Amino acid sequence: MSVAIITFNEEKNIGDCIRSVMTFADEIIVLDSLSTDKTKEIATSFPTVRFFEAPFPGHVEQKNKAISYCKNDWILSLDADERANEELQKSIITFLEAEEIHCEGFKIARLTFHLGKWIRYSGWYPQRRYRLFQKESASWVGENPHDYLELKMGSRGKVMKGDILHYSFTDFSHQINTINQFSSIVAYTRYAKGESFSLLKTIFKPFGKFFEIYVFKFGFLDGIPGLWIALASSFSTFLKYAKLYELDKLKLERPSNVRKDYGKK
């Protein structure tokens, strides 16, 4: 079985990510987008890792490229800040030992650790998505950086027990930095597809996002972290439209925090 991971300056995460899949993976693909830290040194210290480097064209494109390097029929796709928990490891081992498999993909829940606790509401859990799949039966799609795996027409899916543990942010400042970066990518991607600035969306969409997260997705049950998540999500929504204004009305070439190699093949 193969595991596909994309990286960029992930020296703090990549070792733990790799260790969490070593019980079942006989091949681990790490596709790095030209890191400047010790990501390569750490990743290549594991004997089952095959390490590749390429410019970063976008999350969807890079993850699909990582899949293309995999030799095995079944693939688990992870981010460097994710881990397979013990229950998931056992489920995958049981799956690999099965004589017959009557599907082409498995959805797996993701549990995120943020602000000192595991977030179980706020729309963050269980967030079941396809992550384990047959190579020829799925591909990454979506709007960068909010990508997701999609099974091809006619393919069958199931749910696998266990969680992908997601250590997304080291602290709230890290979350705000990520929101700033990702909102730039979204605005840049949408503008490239022809979307223009809307004042009404800029005003009303952030309010809608807050109520969606905090009320309708029970963010209040996550305590103070749930409130912070709802507020941050609202702010993120505002930033996407504010940056779209810069691109559309002020003719900014690209947000200053979007890498210059973004979009290059």
Side-chain angles (χ1 to χ4, degrees), residues 60-96:
V60 171
E61 296 83 357
Q62 195 79 333
K63 288 182 179 181
N64 281 327
K65 180 176 285 189
I67 289 172
S68 72
Y69 291 133
C70 294
K71 293 181 178 179
N72 294 315
D73 186 36
W74 281 92
I75 301 169
L76 175 69
S77 187
L78 292 178
D79 290 335
D81 60 1
E82 296 176 333
R83 324 275 185 266
N85 75 351
E86 289 187 12
E87 184 179 15
L88 178 57
Q89 292 177 37
K90 292 177 182 177
S91 294
I92 293 176
I93 291 171
T94 300
F95 149 75
L96 292 173

Side-chain angles (χ1 to χ4, degrees), residues 46-158:
F46 294 89
T48 52
V49 167
R50 296 173 59 219
F51 190 87
F52 300 88
E53 293 176 297
F56 188 71
H59 292 78
V60 171
E61 296 83 357
Q62 195 79 333
K63 288 182 179 181
N64 281 327
K65 180 176 285 189
I67 289 172
S68 72
Y69 291 133
C70 294
K71 293 181 178 179
N72 294 315
D73 186 36
W74 281 92
I75 301 169
L76 175 69
S77 187
L78 292 178
D79 290 335
D81 60 1
E82 296 176 333
R83 324 275 185 266
N85 75 351
E86 289 187 12
E87 184 179 15
L88 178 57
Q89 292 177 37
K90 292 177 182 177
S91 294
I92 293 176
I93 291 171
T94 300
F95 149 75
L96 292 173
E97 293 173 347
E99 293 184 3
E100 294 185 14
I101 303 167
H102 301 289
C103 70
E104 287 74 43
F106 288 91
K107 288 184 176 181
I108 304 172
R110 186 171 75 165
L111 181 61
T112 299
F113 188 81
H114 185 40
L115 296 174
K117 68 179 295 182
W118 294 106
I119 305 300
R120 297 189 177 275
Y121 301 95
S122 304
W124 282 22
Y125 187 79
Q127 267 195 346
R128 290 187 179 92
R129 299 287 188 271
Y130 287 110
R131 290 300 196 91
L132 179 59
F133 56 96
Q134 281 187 324
K135 183 175 182 179
E136 301 302 324
S137 299
S139 61
W140 284 94
V141 297
E143 179 186 62
N144 286 321
H146 304 297
D147 46 48
Y148 60 94
L149 263 169
E150 184 176 74
L151 294 187
K152 294 180 180 178
M153 185 73 69
S155 297
R156 299 157 295 177
K158 293 184 178 180

Side-chain angles (χ1 to χ4, degrees), residues 172-185:
F172 194 62
S173 293
H174 185 196
Q175 183 182 7
I176 295 302
N177 288 338
T178 302
I179 285 171
N180 187 34
Q181 179 186 14
F182 278 18
S183 61
S184 293
I185 293 172

Side-chain angles (χ1 to χ4, degrees), residues 226-259:
L227 178 59
W228 280 192
I229 289 168
L231 289 169
S233 297
S234 176
F235 180 55
S236 175
T237 301
F238 161 73
L239 286 180
K240 293 170 188 175
Y241 291 103
K243 292 174 181 180
L244 191 58
Y245 170 81
E246 290 185 305
L247 294 165
D248 186 24
K249 302 301 182 182
L250 304 184
K251 303 305 177 184
L252 189 71
E253 181 179 356
R254 69 174 63 208
S256 59
N257 60 348
V258 173
R259 291 168 54 180

